[in-house]
Amino acid sequence: MQAAAPAVHNPAKRLAGQFVDRWPLVLGSGVLAPVARRWRTQLAEIAKSVGQFELLPEADHNMLAGVLHPEALITRAMVLVLRSSLDHPRNILRAEATRQVLMVEGFNTDLLDGVGPSAMAQQWTALHFGDYVAYYLAMAYGVDPTPIPSIASLKQRLADATNA
Protein backbone atom coordinates (compact mmCIF):
# COMPACT_ATOMS: atom_id res chain seq x y z
CA MET A 1 0.00 0.00 0.00
CA GLN A 2 1.41 3.31 -1.04
CA ALA A 3 0.77 6.55 0.80
CA ALA A 4 0.51 8.43 -2.50
CA ALA A 5 -2.13 6.06 -3.91
CA PRO A 6 -5.62 7.59 -4.06
CA ALA A 7 -8.12 6.23 -1.55
CA VAL A 8 -10.07 4.55 -4.35
CA HIS A 9 -7.02 2.28 -4.87
CA ASN A 10 -6.04 2.00 -1.22
CA PRO A 11 -8.64 0.38 1.06
CA ALA A 12 -6.78 1.25 4.27
CA LYS A 13 -6.68 4.92 3.30
CA ARG A 14 -10.38 4.78 2.35
CA LEU A 15 -11.33 3.34 5.73
CA ALA A 16 -9.14 5.86 7.54
CA GLY A 17 -11.06 8.56 5.69
CA GLN A 18 -14.29 7.14 7.08
CA PHE A 19 -12.85 7.46 10.60
CA VAL A 20 -11.86 11.13 10.24
CA ASP A 21 -13.82 13.30 12.68
CA ARG A 22 -15.82 10.29 13.84
CA TRP A 23 -15.82 8.02 16.89
CA PRO A 24 -14.41 4.70 15.64
CA LEU A 25 -16.09 1.64 17.14
CA VAL A 26 -14.58 -1.72 16.18
CA LEU A 27 -16.63 -4.88 16.75
CA GLY A 28 -15.14 -8.36 16.67
CA SER A 29 -15.87 -11.90 17.75
CA GLY A 30 -14.13 -15.23 17.86
CA VAL A 31 -10.68 -15.20 16.27
CA LEU A 32 -10.94 -11.47 15.50
CA ALA A 33 -11.95 -10.38 19.01
CA PRO A 34 -8.35 -9.62 20.07
CA VAL A 35 -7.81 -7.83 16.76
CA ALA A 36 -10.71 -5.45 17.56
CA ARG A 37 -8.91 -4.51 20.78
CA ARG A 38 -5.65 -4.02 18.91
CA TRP A 39 -7.34 -1.73 16.36
CA ARG A 40 -8.59 0.48 19.17
CA THR A 41 -5.15 0.75 20.75
CA GLN A 42 -3.44 1.46 17.44
CA LEU A 43 -5.95 4.17 16.55
CA ALA A 44 -5.16 5.80 19.89
CA GLU A 45 -1.39 5.41 19.84
CA ILE A 46 -0.69 6.07 16.17
CA ALA A 47 -3.49 8.45 15.12
CA LYS A 48 -4.07 9.97 18.58
CA SER A 49 -7.75 9.21 18.00
CA VAL A 50 -10.31 8.30 20.62
CA GLY A 51 -12.47 5.26 19.95
CA GLN A 52 -13.59 1.96 21.37
CA PHE A 53 -13.94 -1.73 20.70
CA GLU A 54 -16.69 -4.13 21.63
CA LEU A 55 -16.83 -7.90 21.50
CA LEU A 56 -19.70 -9.88 20.05
CA PRO A 57 -21.93 -11.37 21.35
CA GLU A 58 -21.49 -9.33 24.55
CA ALA A 59 -21.96 -6.03 22.68
CA ASP A 60 -25.45 -7.10 21.65
CA HIS A 61 -26.51 -7.25 25.28
CA ASN A 62 -24.81 -4.08 26.47
CA MET A 63 -23.92 -1.72 23.65
CA LEU A 64 -27.11 -2.04 21.61
CA ALA A 65 -29.15 -0.89 24.61
CA GLY A 66 -27.50 2.52 24.32
CA VAL A 67 -27.71 3.28 20.62
CA LEU A 68 -30.43 5.92 20.84
CA HIS A 69 -28.65 8.73 22.67
CA PRO A 70 -27.07 11.18 22.35
CA GLU A 71 -28.67 11.51 18.94
CA ALA A 72 -26.20 14.14 17.76
CA LEU A 73 -23.31 11.70 18.19
CA ILE A 74 -24.84 8.74 16.37
CA THR A 75 -23.96 10.05 12.91
CA ARG A 76 -20.49 10.98 14.24
CA ALA A 77 -19.70 7.33 14.97
CA MET A 78 -18.15 4.90 12.51
CA VAL A 79 -18.69 1.22 13.28
CA LEU A 80 -16.36 -1.32 11.74
CA VAL A 81 -17.40 -4.95 12.03
CA LEU A 82 -14.54 -7.44 11.78
CA ARG A 83 -15.76 -10.77 10.41
CA SER A 84 -14.10 -14.14 10.08
CA SER A 85 -15.27 -17.04 7.96
CA LEU A 86 -13.87 -19.23 10.75
CA ASP A 87 -16.19 -17.84 13.42
CA HIS A 88 -19.04 -19.87 14.80
CA PRO A 89 -21.94 -19.65 12.29
CA ARG A 90 -24.08 -17.94 14.92
CA ASN A 91 -21.47 -15.18 15.34
CA ILE A 92 -21.25 -14.72 11.58
CA LEU A 93 -25.02 -14.21 11.52
CA ARG A 94 -24.83 -11.99 14.62
CA ALA A 95 -22.18 -9.70 13.07
CA GLU A 96 -24.37 -8.93 10.08
CA ALA A 97 -27.55 -8.60 12.13
CA THR A 98 -25.81 -6.22 14.56
CA ARG A 99 -24.52 -4.13 11.69
CA GLN A 100 -28.02 -3.90 10.21
CA VAL A 101 -29.51 -2.80 13.54
CA LEU A 102 -26.86 -0.09 13.86
CA MET A 103 -27.44 1.11 10.29
CA VAL A 104 -31.19 1.38 10.90
CA GLU A 105 -30.44 3.49 14.00
CA GLY A 106 -28.36 5.87 11.86
CA PHE A 107 -24.80 4.66 12.45
CA ASN A 108 -22.20 4.66 9.70
CA THR A 109 -20.93 1.10 9.29
CA ASP A 110 -18.45 -0.92 7.29
CA LEU A 111 -17.16 -4.50 7.21
CA LEU A 112 -13.73 -6.05 7.11
CA ASP A 113 -13.44 -9.75 6.40
CA GLY A 114 -10.48 -11.72 7.67
CA VAL A 115 -8.32 -13.01 4.84
CA GLY A 116 -6.55 -16.35 4.83
CA PRO A 117 -7.10 -20.06 5.35
CA SER A 118 -6.35 -20.18 9.07
CA ALA A 119 -7.26 -18.29 12.23
CA MET A 120 -3.73 -16.95 12.54
CA ALA A 121 -3.68 -15.77 8.92
CA GLN A 122 -6.97 -13.93 9.39
CA GLN A 123 -5.79 -12.39 12.66
CA TRP A 124 -2.52 -11.16 11.21
CA THR A 125 -3.98 -9.78 7.97
CA ALA A 126 -6.75 -7.94 9.86
CA LEU A 127 -4.26 -6.69 12.45
CA HIS A 128 -1.80 -5.50 9.80
CA PHE A 129 -4.59 -3.77 7.87
CA GLY A 130 -5.61 -1.99 11.07
CA ASP A 131 -2.08 -0.69 11.53
CA TYR A 132 -2.23 0.82 8.06
CA VAL A 133 -5.62 2.37 8.80
CA ALA A 134 -4.22 3.94 11.98
CA TYR A 135 -1.21 5.25 10.04
CA TYR A 136 -3.38 6.83 7.33
CA LEU A 137 -5.67 8.31 9.98
CA ALA A 138 -2.60 9.89 11.59
CA MET A 139 -1.67 11.32 8.19
CA ALA A 140 -5.20 12.66 7.74
CA TYR A 141 -5.01 14.37 11.14
CA GLY A 142 -1.50 15.64 10.42
CA VAL A 143 -0.02 14.05 13.55
CA ASP A 144 3.34 12.41 14.08
CA PRO A 145 2.57 8.87 15.26
CA THR A 146 5.82 8.54 17.19
CA PRO A 147 5.55 10.76 20.29
CA ILE A 148 2.75 10.21 22.78
CA PRO A 149 2.67 13.47 24.77
CA SER A 150 -0.19 12.43 27.04
CA ILE A 151 1.69 9.33 28.23
CA ALA A 152 4.89 11.34 28.71
CA SER A 153 2.89 13.83 30.78
CA LEU A 154 1.35 11.05 32.86
CA LYS A 155 4.77 9.50 33.52
CA GLN A 156 6.14 12.90 34.57
CA ARG A 157 3.20 13.49 36.95
CA LEU A 158 3.69 10.06 38.52
CA ALA A 159 7.42 10.63 38.86
CA ASP A 160 6.82 14.06 40.42
CA ALA A 161 4.30 12.59 42.87
CA THR A 162 6.65 9.79 43.81
CA ASN A 163 9.57 12.17 44.38
CA ALA A 164 7.54 14.69 46.38
Side-chain angles (χ1 to χ4, degrees), residues 45-78:
E45 291 184 17
I46 294 172
K48 315 304 186 246
S49 174
V50 70
Q52 75 185 73
F53 77 97
E54 296 286 342
L55 305 180
L56 293 170
E58 185 67 20
D60 286 345
H61 301 286
N62 299 321
M63 185 203 65
L64 283 183
V67 299
L68 300 178
H69 301 286
E71 288 182 41
L73 296 182
I74 290 172
T75 59
R76 302 307 314 156
M78 178 62 207

PDB file of all heavy atoms in Angstrom, residues 45-78:
ATOM      1  N   GLU A  45      -2.821   5.163  19.759  1.00  0.00           N
ATOM      2  CA  GLU A  45      -1.389   5.405  19.840  1.00  0.00           C
ATOM      3  C   GLU A  45      -0.813   6.016  18.573  1.00  0.00           C
ATOM      4  O   GLU A  45       0.050   6.889  18.646  1.00  0.00           O
ATOM      5  CB  GLU A  45      -0.646   4.118  20.195  1.00  0.00           C
ATOM      6  CG  GLU A  45      -0.927   3.676  21.614  1.00  0.00           C
ATOM      7  CD  GLU A  45      -0.124   2.465  22.035  1.00  0.00           C
ATOM      8  OE1 GLU A  45       0.881   2.139  21.371  1.00  0.00           O
ATOM      9  OE2 GLU A  45      -0.512   1.837  23.021  1.00  0.00           O
ATOM     10  N   ILE A  46      -1.262   5.581  17.429  1.00  0.00           N
ATOM     11  CA  ILE A  46      -0.687   6.067  16.173  1.00  0.00           C
ATOM     12  C   ILE A  46      -1.389   7.332  15.691  1.00  0.00           C
ATOM     13  O   ILE A  46      -0.749   8.315  15.353  1.00  0.00           O
ATOM     14  CB  ILE A  46      -0.724   4.964  15.098  1.00  0.00           C
ATOM     15  CG1 ILE A  46       0.193   3.808  15.512  1.00  0.00           C
ATOM     16  CG2 ILE A  46      -0.324   5.509  13.729  1.00  0.00           C
ATOM     17  CD1 ILE A  46       0.106   2.586  14.638  1.00  0.00           C
ATOM     18  N   ALA A  47      -2.735   7.316  15.662  1.00  0.00           N
ATOM     19  CA  ALA A  47      -3.485   8.447  15.118  1.00  0.00           C
ATOM     20  C   ALA A  47      -3.914   9.435  16.188  1.00  0.00           C
ATOM     21  O   ALA A  47      -4.495  10.470  15.861  1.00  0.00           O
ATOM     22  CB  ALA A  47      -4.706   7.947  14.356  1.00  0.00           C
ATOM     23  N   LYS A  48      -3.649   9.112  17.464  1.00  0.00           N
ATOM     24  CA  LYS A  48      -4.071   9.970  18.577  1.00  0.00           C
ATOM     25  C   LYS A  48      -5.578  10.197  18.524  1.00  0.00           C
ATOM     26  O   LYS A  48      -6.081  11.290  18.768  1.00  0.00           O
ATOM     27  CB  LYS A  48      -3.327  11.312  18.562  1.00  0.00           C
ATOM     28  CG  LYS A  48      -1.824  11.243  18.327  1.00  0.00           C
ATOM     29  CD  LYS A  48      -1.110  10.358  19.317  1.00  0.00           C
ATOM     30  CE  LYS A  48       0.397  10.436  19.136  1.00  0.00           C
ATOM     31  NZ  LYS A  48       1.009   9.217  18.689  1.00  0.00           N
ATOM     32  N   SER A  49      -6.305   9.147  18.189  1.00  0.00           N
ATOM     33  CA  SER A  49      -7.753   9.208  17.995  1.00  0.00           C
ATOM     34  C   SER A  49      -8.469   8.409  19.068  1.00  0.00           C
ATOM     35  O   SER A  49      -8.124   7.258  19.340  1.00  0.00           O
ATOM     36  CB  SER A  49      -8.109   8.640  16.613  1.00  0.00           C
ATOM     37  OG  SER A  49      -9.499   8.556  16.437  1.00  0.00           O
ATOM     38  N   VAL A  50      -9.480   8.996  19.655  1.00  0.00           N
ATOM     39  CA  VAL A  50     -10.309   8.304  20.623  1.00  0.00           C
ATOM     40  C   VAL A  50     -11.194   7.299  19.884  1.00  0.00           C
ATOM     41  O   VAL A  50     -11.492   7.472  18.696  1.00  0.00           O
ATOM     42  CB  VAL A  50     -11.139   9.310  21.446  1.00  0.00           C
ATOM     43  CG1 VAL A  50     -12.209   9.962  20.598  1.00  0.00           C
ATOM     44  CG2 VAL A  50     -11.726   8.671  22.675  1.00  0.00           C
ATOM     45  N   GLY A  51     -11.595   6.261  20.551  1.00  0.00           N
ATOM     46  CA  GLY A  51     -12.474   5.259  19.955  1.00  0.00           C
ATOM     47  C   GLY A  51     -12.738   4.154  20.953  1.00  0.00           C
ATOM     48  O   GLY A  51     -12.403   4.288  22.129  1.00  0.00           O
ATOM     49  N   GLN A  52     -13.332   3.080  20.480  1.00  0.00           N
ATOM     50  CA  GLN A  52     -13.592   1.958  21.367  1.00  0.00           C
ATOM     51  C   GLN A  52     -13.699   0.671  20.573  1.00  0.00           C
ATOM     52  O   GLN A  52     -13.783   0.694  19.343  1.00  0.00           O
ATOM     53  CB  GLN A  52     -14.852   2.184  22.197  1.00  0.00           C
ATOM     54  CG  GLN A  52     -16.163   2.020  21.441  1.00  0.00           C
ATOM     55  CD  GLN A  52     -17.357   2.383  22.284  1.00  0.00           C
ATOM     56  OE1 GLN A  52     -17.576   3.558  22.527  1.00  0.00           O
ATOM     57  NE2 GLN A  52     -18.128   1.400  22.703  1.00  0.00           N
ATOM     58  N   PHE A  53     -13.686  -0.427  21.303  1.00  0.00           N
ATOM     59  CA  PHE A  53     -13.936  -1.725  20.699  1.00  0.00           C
ATOM     60  C   PHE A  53     -14.976  -2.425  21.558  1.00  0.00           C
ATOM     61  O   PHE A  53     -15.126  -2.150  22.738  1.00  0.00           O
ATOM     62  CB  PHE A  53     -12.657  -2.563  20.584  1.00  0.00           C
ATOM     63  CG  PHE A  53     -12.230  -3.186  21.889  1.00  0.00           C
ATOM     64  CD1 PHE A  53     -12.560  -4.498  22.191  1.00  0.00           C
ATOM     65  CD2 PHE A  53     -11.508  -2.462  22.824  1.00  0.00           C
ATOM     66  CE1 PHE A  53     -12.182  -5.061  23.397  1.00  0.00           C
ATOM     67  CE2 PHE A  53     -11.118  -3.017  24.026  1.00  0.00           C
ATOM     68  CZ  PHE A  53     -11.460  -4.324  24.310  1.00  0.00           C
ATOM     69  N   GLU A  54     -15.709  -3.307  20.929  1.00  0.00           N
ATOM     70  CA  GLU A  54     -16.694  -4.131  21.635  1.00  0.00           C
ATOM     71  C   GLU A  54     -16.601  -5.535  21.073  1.00  0.00           C
ATOM     72  O   GLU A  54     -16.276  -5.730  19.892  1.00  0.00           O
ATOM     73  CB  GLU A  54     -18.123  -3.598  21.435  1.00  0.00           C
ATOM     74  CG  GLU A  54     -18.369  -2.221  22.003  1.00  0.00           C
ATOM     75  CD  GLU A  54     -18.465  -2.189  23.520  1.00  0.00           C
ATOM     76  OE1 GLU A  54     -18.683  -3.251  24.141  1.00  0.00           O
ATOM     77  OE2 GLU A  54     -18.339  -1.090  24.086  1.00  0.00           O
ATOM     78  N   LEU A  55     -16.893  -6.499  21.912  1.00  0.00           N
ATOM     79  CA  LEU A  55     -16.831  -7.898  21.504  1.00  0.00           C
ATOM     80  C   LEU A  55     -18.236  -8.461  21.353  1.00  0.00           C
ATOM     81  O   LEU A  55     -19.100  -8.232  22.194  1.00  0.00           O
ATOM     82  CB  LEU A  55     -16.044  -8.706  22.535  1.00  0.00           C
ATOM     83  CG  LEU A  55     -14.632  -8.184  22.825  1.00  0.00           C
ATOM     84  CD1 LEU A  55     -13.951  -9.053  23.861  1.00  0.00           C
ATOM     85  CD2 LEU A  55     -13.798  -8.093  21.559  1.00  0.00           C
ATOM     86  N   LEU A  56     -18.438  -9.164  20.268  1.00  0.00           N
ATOM     87  CA  LEU A  56     -19.703  -9.877  20.049  1.00  0.00           C
ATOM     88  C   LEU A  56     -19.566 -11.268  20.636  1.00  0.00           C
ATOM     89  O   LEU A  56     -18.496 -11.870  20.524  1.00  0.00           O
ATOM     90  CB  LEU A  56     -20.003  -9.963  18.553  1.00  0.00           C
ATOM     91  CG  LEU A  56     -20.310  -8.633  17.868  1.00  0.00           C
ATOM     92  CD1 LEU A  56     -20.337  -8.817  16.359  1.00  0.00           C
ATOM     93  CD2 LEU A  56     -21.618  -8.052  18.363  1.00  0.00           C
ATOM     94  N   PRO A  57     -20.551 -11.829  21.264  1.00  0.00           N
ATOM     95  CA  PRO A  57     -21.930 -11.372  21.346  1.00  0.00           C
ATOM     96  C   PRO A  57     -22.214 -10.405  22.499  1.00  0.00           C
ATOM     97  O   PRO A  57     -23.307  -9.850  22.576  1.00  0.00           O
ATOM     98  CB  PRO A  57     -22.723 -12.656  21.540  1.00  0.00           C
ATOM     99  CG  PRO A  57     -21.801 -13.566  22.270  1.00  0.00           C
ATOM    100  CD  PRO A  57     -20.420 -13.205  21.775  1.00  0.00           C
ATOM    101  N   GLU A  58     -21.258 -10.172  23.375  1.00  0.00           N
ATOM    102  CA  GLU A  58     -21.493  -9.328  24.551  1.00  0.00           C
ATOM    103  C   GLU A  58     -22.026  -7.950  24.179  1.00  0.00           C
ATOM    104  O   GLU A  58     -22.888  -7.402  24.858  1.00  0.00           O
ATOM    105  CB  GLU A  58     -20.198  -9.193  25.371  1.00  0.00           C
ATOM    106  CG  GLU A  58     -20.350  -8.449  26.661  1.00  0.00           C
ATOM    107  CD  GLU A  58     -21.206  -9.166  27.700  1.00  0.00           C
ATOM    108  OE1 GLU A  58     -21.383 -10.391  27.603  1.00  0.00           O
ATOM    109  OE2 GLU A  58     -21.705  -8.485  28.606  1.00  0.00           O
ATOM    110  N   ALA A  59     -21.524  -7.375  23.090  1.00  0.00           N
ATOM    111  CA  ALA A  59     -21.962  -6.032  22.678  1.00  0.00           C
ATOM    112  C   ALA A  59     -23.455  -5.982  22.399  1.00  0.00           C
ATOM    113  O   ALA A  59     -24.092  -4.951  22.598  1.00  0.00           O
ATOM    114  CB  ALA A  59     -21.185  -5.584  21.447  1.00  0.00           C
ATOM    115  N   ASP A  60     -24.013  -7.089  21.943  1.00  0.00           N
ATOM    116  CA  ASP A  60     -25.446  -7.096  21.646  1.00  0.00           C
ATOM    117  C   ASP A  60     -26.290  -6.971  22.906  1.00  0.00           C
ATOM    118  O   ASP A  60     -27.424  -6.512  22.851  1.00  0.00           O
ATOM    119  CB  ASP A  60     -25.835  -8.364  20.888  1.00  0.00           C
ATOM    120  CG  ASP A  60     -25.365  -8.315  19.445  1.00  0.00           C
ATOM    121  OD1 ASP A  60     -25.015  -7.229  18.966  1.00  0.00           O
ATOM    122  OD2 ASP A  60     -25.358  -9.370  18.805  1.00  0.00           O
ATOM    123  N   HIS A  61     -25.758  -7.352  24.028  1.00  0.00           N
ATOM    124  CA  HIS A  61     -26.509  -7.252  25.280  1.00  0.00           C
ATOM    125  C   HIS A  61     -26.302  -5.904  25.956  1.00  0.00           C
ATOM    126  O   HIS A  61     -27.187  -5.415  26.647  1.00  0.00           O
ATOM    127  CB  HIS A  61     -26.109  -8.377  26.236  1.00  0.00           C
ATOM    128  CG  HIS A  61     -26.343  -9.727  25.665  1.00  0.00           C
ATOM    129  ND1 HIS A  61     -27.606 -10.270  25.529  1.00  0.00           N
ATOM    130  CD2 HIS A  61     -25.491 -10.646  25.161  1.00  0.00           C
ATOM    131  CE1 HIS A  61     -27.511 -11.459  24.975  1.00  0.00           C
ATOM    132  NE2 HIS A  61     -26.240 -11.711  24.746  1.00  0.00           N
ATOM    133  N   ASN A  62     -25.135  -5.315  25.762  1.00  0.00           N
ATOM    134  CA  ASN A  62     -24.809  -4.082  26.472  1.00  0.00           C
ATOM    135  C   ASN A  62     -24.807  -2.852  25.570  1.00  0.00           C
ATOM    136  O   ASN A  62     -25.466  -1.869  25.853  1.00  0.00           O
ATOM    137  CB  ASN A  62     -23.442  -4.213  27.149  1.00  0.00           C
ATOM    138  CG  ASN A  62     -23.438  -5.334  28.159  1.00  0.00           C
ATOM    139  OD1 ASN A  62     -24.408  -5.538  28.863  1.00  0.00           O
ATOM    140  ND2 ASN A  62     -22.356  -6.078  28.215  1.00  0.00           N
ATOM    141  N   MET A  63     -24.054  -2.891  24.498  1.00  0.00           N
ATOM    142  CA  MET A  63     -23.915  -1.722  23.649  1.00  0.00           C
ATOM    143  C   MET A  63     -25.208  -1.373  22.920  1.00  0.00           C
ATOM    144  O   MET A  63     -25.576  -0.200  22.849  1.00  0.00           O
ATOM    145  CB  MET A  63     -22.805  -1.950  22.635  1.00  0.00           C
ATOM    146  CG  MET A  63     -22.510  -0.724  21.789  1.00  0.00           C
ATOM    147  SD  MET A  63     -21.729  -1.103  20.229  1.00  0.00           S
ATOM    148  CE  MET A  63     -22.981  -2.027  19.365  1.00  0.00           C
ATOM    149  N   LEU A  64     -25.905  -2.334  22.385  1.00  0.00           N
ATOM    150  CA  LEU A  64     -27.114  -2.042  21.614  1.00  0.00           C
ATOM    151  C   LEU A  64     -28.195  -1.369  22.447  1.00  0.00           C
ATOM    152  O   LEU A  64     -29.041  -0.666  21.909  1.00  0.00           O
ATOM    153  CB  LEU A  64     -27.671  -3.303  20.950  1.00  0.00           C
ATOM    154  CG  LEU A  64     -26.936  -3.772  19.705  1.00  0.00           C
ATOM    155  CD1 LEU A  64     -27.621  -4.993  19.106  1.00  0.00           C
ATOM    156  CD2 LEU A  64     -26.792  -2.677  18.666  1.00  0.00           C
ATOM    157  N   ALA A  65     -28.162  -1.556  23.746  1.00  0.00           N
ATOM    158  CA  ALA A  65     -29.150  -0.894  24.611  1.00  0.00           C
ATOM    159  C   ALA A  65     -28.968   0.616  24.606  1.00  0.00           C
ATOM    160  O   ALA A  65     -29.907   1.351  24.884  1.00  0.00           O
ATOM    161  CB  ALA A  65     -29.039  -1.423  26.036  1.00  0.00           C
ATOM    162  N   GLY A  66     -27.788   1.091  24.254  1.00  0.00           N
ATOM    163  CA  GLY A  66     -27.504   2.523  24.324  1.00  0.00           C
ATOM    164  C   GLY A  66     -27.314   3.199  22.984  1.00  0.00           C
ATOM    165  O   GLY A  66     -26.579   4.177  22.894  1.00  0.00           O
ATOM    166  N   VAL A  67     -27.945   2.696  21.945  1.00  0.00           N
ATOM    167  CA  VAL A  67     -27.707   3.276  20.624  1.00  0.00           C
ATOM    168  C   VAL A  67     -28.673   4.392  20.245  1.00  0.00           C
ATOM    169  O   VAL A  67     -28.668   4.859  19.117  1.00  0.00           O
ATOM    170  CB  VAL A  67     -27.708   2.199  19.513  1.00  0.00           C
ATOM    171  CG1 VAL A  67     -26.619   1.180  19.730  1.00  0.00           C
ATOM    172  CG2 VAL A  67     -29.072   1.549  19.376  1.00  0.00           C
ATOM    173  N   LEU A  68     -29.467   4.867  21.169  1.00  0.00           N
ATOM    174  CA  LEU A  68     -30.430   5.916  20.839  1.00  0.00           C
ATOM    175  C   LEU A  68     -29.976   7.323  21.229  1.00  0.00           C
ATOM    176  O   LEU A  68     -30.463   8.307  20.670  1.00  0.00           O
ATOM    177  CB  LEU A  68     -31.781   5.611  21.495  1.00  0.00           C
ATOM    178  CG  LEU A  68     -32.433   4.290  21.086  1.00  0.00           C
ATOM    179  CD1 LEU A  68     -33.735   4.098  21.842  1.00  0.00           C
ATOM    180  CD2 LEU A  68     -32.655   4.225  19.589  1.00  0.00           C
ATOM    181  N   HIS A  69     -29.049   7.416  22.181  1.00  0.00           N
ATOM    182  CA  HIS A  69     -28.649   8.733  22.672  1.00  0.00           C
ATOM    183  C   HIS A  69     -27.151   8.776  22.940  1.00  0.00           C
ATOM    184  O   HIS A  69     -26.577   7.749  23.302  1.00  0.00           O
ATOM    185  CB  HIS A  69     -29.407   9.073  23.954  1.00  0.00           C
ATOM    186  CG  HIS A  69     -30.886   9.076  23.758  1.00  0.00           C
ATOM    187  ND1 HIS A  69     -31.546  10.068  23.091  1.00  0.00           N
ATOM    188  CD2 HIS A  69     -31.825   8.171  24.101  1.00  0.00           C
ATOM    189  CE1 HIS A  69     -32.830   9.790  23.047  1.00  0.00           C
ATOM    190  NE2 HIS A  69     -33.026   8.630  23.661  1.00  0.00           N
ATOM    191  N   PRO A  70     -26.526   9.915  22.840  1.00  0.00           N
ATOM    192  CA  PRO A  70     -27.069  11.175  22.354  1.00  0.00           C
ATOM    193  C   PRO A  70     -27.207  11.152  20.834  1.00  0.00           C
ATOM    194  O   PRO A  70     -26.288  10.753  20.126  1.00  0.00           O
ATOM    195  CB  PRO A  70     -26.071  12.236  22.813  1.00  0.00           C
ATOM    196  CG  PRO A  70     -24.793  11.499  23.026  1.00  0.00           C
ATOM    197  CD  PRO A  70     -25.149  10.065  23.317  1.00  0.00           C
ATOM    198  N   GLU A  71     -28.356  11.567  20.363  1.00  0.00           N
ATOM    199  CA  GLU A  71     -28.671  11.507  18.940  1.00  0.00           C
ATOM    200  C   GLU A  71     -27.639  12.221  18.080  1.00  0.00           C
ATOM    201  O   GLU A  71     -27.300  11.758  16.991  1.00  0.00           O
ATOM    202  CB  GLU A  71     -30.060  12.091  18.673  1.00  0.00           C
ATOM    203  CG  GLU A  71     -31.190  11.208  19.163  1.00  0.00           C
ATOM    204  CD  GLU A  71     -32.558  11.795  18.850  1.00  0.00           C
ATOM    205  OE1 GLU A  71     -32.735  12.325  17.737  1.00  0.00           O
ATOM    206  OE2 GLU A  71     -33.427  11.711  19.725  1.00  0.00           O
ATOM    207  N   ALA A  72     -27.154  13.357  18.546  1.00  0.00           N
ATOM    208  CA  ALA A  72     -26.196  14.141  17.765  1.00  0.00           C
ATOM    209  C   ALA A  72     -24.894  13.388  17.501  1.00  0.00           C
ATOM    210  O   ALA A  72     -24.195  13.667  16.531  1.00  0.00           O
ATOM    211  CB  ALA A  72     -25.902  15.458  18.466  1.00  0.00           C
ATOM    212  N   LEU A  73     -24.574  12.431  18.358  1.00  0.00           N
ATOM    213  CA  LEU A  73     -23.312  11.704  18.193  1.00  0.00           C
ATOM    214  C   LEU A  73     -23.445  10.443  17.338  1.00  0.00           C
ATOM    215  O   LEU A  73     -22.437   9.892  16.901  1.00  0.00           O
ATOM    216  CB  LEU A  73     -22.739  11.341  19.563  1.00  0.00           C
ATOM    217  CG  LEU A  73     -22.344  12.525  20.435  1.00  0.00           C
ATOM    218  CD1 LEU A  73     -21.755  12.038  21.746  1.00  0.00           C
ATOM    219  CD2 LEU A  73     -21.365  13.436  19.713  1.00  0.00           C
ATOM    220  N   ILE A  74     -24.651   9.996  17.107  1.00  0.00           N
ATOM    221  CA  ILE A  74     -24.838   8.742  16.366  1.00  0.00           C
ATOM    222  C   ILE A  74     -24.248   8.842  14.971  1.00  0.00           C
ATOM    223  O   ILE A  74     -23.519   7.943  14.532  1.00  0.00           O
ATOM    224  CB  ILE A  74     -26.322   8.329  16.351  1.00  0.00           C
ATOM    225  CG1 ILE A  74     -26.724   7.890  17.767  1.00  0.00           C
ATOM    226  CG2 ILE A  74     -26.588   7.227  15.331  1.00  0.00           C
ATOM    227  CD1 ILE A  74     -28.203   7.628  17.954  1.00  0.00           C
ATOM    228  N   THR A  75     -24.510   9.919  14.260  1.00  0.00           N
ATOM    229  CA  THR A  75     -23.959  10.053  12.915  1.00  0.00           C
ATOM    230  C   THR A  75     -22.475  10.386  12.936  1.00  0.00           C
ATOM    231  O   THR A  75     -21.819  10.348  11.899  1.00  0.00           O
ATOM    232  CB  THR A  75     -24.709  11.134  12.104  1.00  0.00           C
ATOM    233  OG1 THR A  75     -24.616  12.381  12.796  1.00  0.00           O
ATOM    234  CG2 THR A  75     -26.162  10.747  11.897  1.00  0.00           C
ATOM    235  N   ARG A  76     -21.927  10.696  14.110  1.00  0.00           N
ATOM    236  CA  ARG A  76     -20.493  10.980  14.235  1.00  0.00           C
ATOM    237  C   ARG A  76     -19.703   9.723  14.569  1.00  0.00           C
ATOM    238  O   ARG A  76     -18.482   9.791  14.712  1.00  0.00           O
ATOM    239  CB  ARG A  76     -20.246  12.046  15.313  1.00  0.00           C
ATOM    240  CG  ARG A  76     -20.948  13.362  15.099  1.00  0.00           C
ATOM    241  CD  ARG A  76     -20.737  14.030  13.755  1.00  0.00           C
ATOM    242  NE  ARG A  76     -19.355  14.061  13.322  1.00  0.00           N
ATOM    243  CZ  ARG A  76     -18.981  14.154  12.046  1.00  0.00           C
ATOM    244  NH1 ARG A  76     -19.862  14.234  11.095  1.00  0.00           N
ATOM    245  NH2 ARG A  76     -17.709  14.182  11.725  1.00  0.00           N
ATOM    246  N   ALA A  77     -20.388   8.596  14.698  1.00  0.00           N
ATOM    247  CA  ALA A  77     -19.702   7.328  14.969  1.00  0.00           C
ATOM    248  C   ALA A  77     -19.446   6.604  13.650  1.00  0.00           C
ATOM    249  O   ALA A  77     -20.132   6.822  12.658  1.00  0.00           O
ATOM    250  CB  ALA A  77     -20.548   6.449  15.877  1.00  0.00           C
ATOM    251  N   MET A  78     -18.436   5.754  13.653  1.00  0.00           N
ATOM    252  CA  MET A  78     -18.150   4.902  12.507  1.00  0.00           C
ATOM    253  C   MET A  78     -17.875   3.504  13.048  1.00  0.00           C
ATOM    254  O   MET A  78     -16.894   3.280  13.751  1.00  0.00           O
ATOM    255  CB  MET A  78     -16.933   5.431  11.739  1.00  0.00           C
ATOM    256  CG  MET A  78     -16.539   4.572  10.551  1.00  0.00           C
ATOM    257  SD  MET A  78     -17.859   4.518   9.331  1.00  0.00           S
ATOM    258  CE  MET A  78     -17.532   2.944   8.565  1.00  0.00           C
TER     259      MET A  78
END
